[in-house]
Each structure stands twice: as structure tokens, then as C-alpha cells.
Amino acid sequence: MNKSLRKAVIAGNWKMNKTRPEAKELIEAIKPLAVGADCEVVVCVPFTNLETAVEATKGTNIHVGAQNCHFEKSGAFTGEISADMLTELGVEYVVLGHSERRQYFGETDETVNKRLKAALEAGLKPIVCIGELLWERECGITEEVLGKQCKLDFFGISAEDMKKTVIAYEPVWAIGTGKTATADQAEEACAYIRSVIAKMFDKATADAVTVQYGGSMNAKNAAELLSKPDVDGGLIGGASLKAPDFGVIIAAAKE
Ligand code: PGA
């Protein structure tokens, strides 16, 4: 991380886990571990836990995020939630374009771009996930894939909005598989993403944008991953459901 240039963000992505009482319990356990954190701490919880999470984190340094939002403001979109519905609840962050959304729910770069614009307009801080499949890495096209995703997902947004957006580099082969990218692989990809942002916008924007790593980040490997200059935090799935592990990762962001 380079904290002199940008903000480190450690975000838990709870995915489809935790009922409301369980969510409250986990947040209560995370609270003391987040005190004095030298990074932005975020918990991205299921829609049904948002209100509970906002309530439970009041007066703390823990911020609450959702895991998706729709691009329209309202209307006939059964099952969807708008960005305004999230801000009205006190939600600050929203994960967009997670590979599970892309893989299982037909999310495309085009819809990610539309959702990003809606989220920014509503004043949410988006965490946009990009990353290559194993097959794409093996074929040697990781940079092409990341470049294309940046160009499509961040199309038509201002440099100011780009600076407010967190990018999560999540190699799809590392998500929930226990296979972490090596710290060097993470650094290489995060630095490449930053170089694409510099070309699309300018160097100041690229220097300011937070680029997280995500994919089997845990209490054991976090410190090494976060020691890399272009890895500005993490988007953590499995390990964010265990308060002590998430606490170790938050602490690792202090180094
Ligand atoms: P994981 O998930 O840490 O369980 O691999 C990361 C993510 O999907 O954001």
C-alpha cells in the first residue's frame, strides 16, 4: 500500500451469509478489532442485513456496503434494489460486478458500467470487481482482459468519480478456492490496472485510485499481499466471516 497517495480499504464481502441476529453478532465482534484501524473498514452485507449493520456500526469507524444495486431509479425490475434505496438506509459502499454476479447472474461489463454510474450519481462509493479467469491467465491474456474490463466498466465517468471508485482486482481462479495469487502476481496486476487508469484518465487519478486485491485473502497471507505498493487493501470473502481473522487483516493494513 502507498498510504501517502491513497486510502487503504479493507472490505468484507459476506456474500449470501448471516441472518440478522448473526450479522449483529459478527459486527459486535469486529467492532473492537477495528478501533484505531489505519484503513477504511467496510462490511458488505446481504440486503436484508443492511439496516441492522447501519444501526450496529453507528458511532464506529466501520462502514456499511451492499453487494449490488440496479441502474434504474425505480420501476418494474422485480428483485432489484436501487442506489437511492441504499443511500436512504445510510449505506455508503456498494460492490459491483463481482465475478459471481458475472458468472451466475449474467452481469456484463455494460450493466456494470450502468450500475456504476447510478451508484456514483446516488453518492455511493462503488467497489468494482474485475479479474481474469484461470483459462485467460493460462492463455497469457490477463492484461488484455483487465484492460478491456477497465475500459468498459469505467467508460464515460469523470476523473473525479474515478477517484471515488475502488477497484477490486479479483482473479476469478482465486475466489473461494483457497488459491491466492502470489503477492507478486497481485502487485503486477494491480500496477497494470493503475497504468490503464493513468492512460484512460491521468497520472493523478491513477495515483489516487484505491486498487484492492481479492481472492482467498486471509489472516496468514494478508500482510505479504498488503506490503506491495500497488495493493491498497483487500476485498475479503470467507475470512471476513470470522471476526478474529478479519481483525488480523485489518491490523495487517497498519504496517
Ligand atoms: P474469498 O472471496 O476471499 O472467499 O476468496 C473474495 C471475494 O469474492 O470477494
Side-chain angles (χ1 to χ4, degrees):
M1 293 181 292
N2 187 334
K3 288 186 202 153
S4 61
L5 288 174
R6 49 196 169 255
K7 193 170 58 177
V9 181
I10 298 292
N13 174 13
W14 290 12
K15 310 193 181 189
M16 196 175 71
N17 291 293
K18 304 292 174 189
T19 61
R20 274 196 305 169
E22 288 168 351
K24 188 157 175 18
E25 195 184 326
L26 179 53
I27 288 171
E28 292 305 328
I30 293 170
K31 268 191 209 176
L33 307 171
V35 172
D38 192 19
C39 60
E40 186 102 329
V41 178
V42 188
V43 288
C44 299
V45 305
F47 288 130
T48 48
N49 292 340
L50 287 171
E51 205 167 0
T52 304
V54 168
E55 196 53 43
T57 55
K58 270 204 183 117
T60 74
N61 58 337
I62 303 174
H63 304 263
V64 175
Q67 298 172 14
N68 197 11
C69 74
H70 196 257
F71 40 83
E72 294 294 347
K73 282 194 165 295
S74 62
F77 302 100
T78 302
E80 292 289 323
I81 302 283
S82 76
D84 289 340
M85 290 172 182
L86 298 178
T87 51
E88 192 270 328
L89 280 180
V91 171
E92 288 178 72
Y93 282 84
V94 64
V95 176
L96 295 173
H98 191 278
S99 64
E100 286 149 16
R101 302 277 343 153
R102 296 178 191 256
Q103 221 175 329
Y104 309 135
F105 303 101
E107 198 78 63
T108 64
D109 289 309
E110 191 182 359
T111 56
V112 172
N113 179 250
K114 286 165 89 169
R115 287 174 205 261
L116 171 63
K117 286 173 178 162
L120 286 164
E121 201 189 319
L124 289 167
K125 294 173 194 162
I127 300 176
V128 177
C129 306
I130 59 174
E132 80 287 0
L133 306 171
L134 181 59
W135 165 242
E136 290 167 334
R137 178 165 279 268
E138 284 171 354
C139 290
I141 60 163
T142 298
E143 292 192 346
E144 282 95 321
V145 171
L146 297 177
K148 184 176 166 212
Q149 287 176 327
C150 284
K151 282 180 195 140
L152 299 177
D153 294 0
F154 306 131
F155 174 74
I157 69 165
S158 68
E160 267 334 289
D161 277 343
M162 190 66 240
K163 286 183 198 163
K164 291 180 204 152
T165 302
V166 173
I167 304 174
Y169 166 61
E170 297 210 312
V172 180
W173 47 272
I175 296 175
T177 57
K179 276 188 208 142
T180 321
T182 64
D184 286 339
Q185 283 172 326
E187 168 61 19
E188 198 184 350
C190 291
Y192 180 74
I193 290 165
R194 202 178 303 288
S195 75
V196 174
I197 299 301
K199 275 197 207 113
M200 288 177 69
F201 297 89
D202 49 64
K203 186 170 182 303
T205 305
D207 281 344
V209 75
T210 296
V211 185
Q212 301 172 312
Y213 168 78
S216 301
M217 189 187 266
N218 58 38
K220 287 208 183 89
N221 60 28
E224 197 191 348
L225 287 159
L226 296 173
S227 72
K228 295 292 176 182
D230 286 290
V231 179
D232 308 318
L235 184 59
I236 300 113
S240 75
L241 296 171
K242 294 175 222 131
D245 292 31
F246 196 52
V248 169
I249 299 171
I250 293 169
K254 262 197 184 156
E255 305 304 317

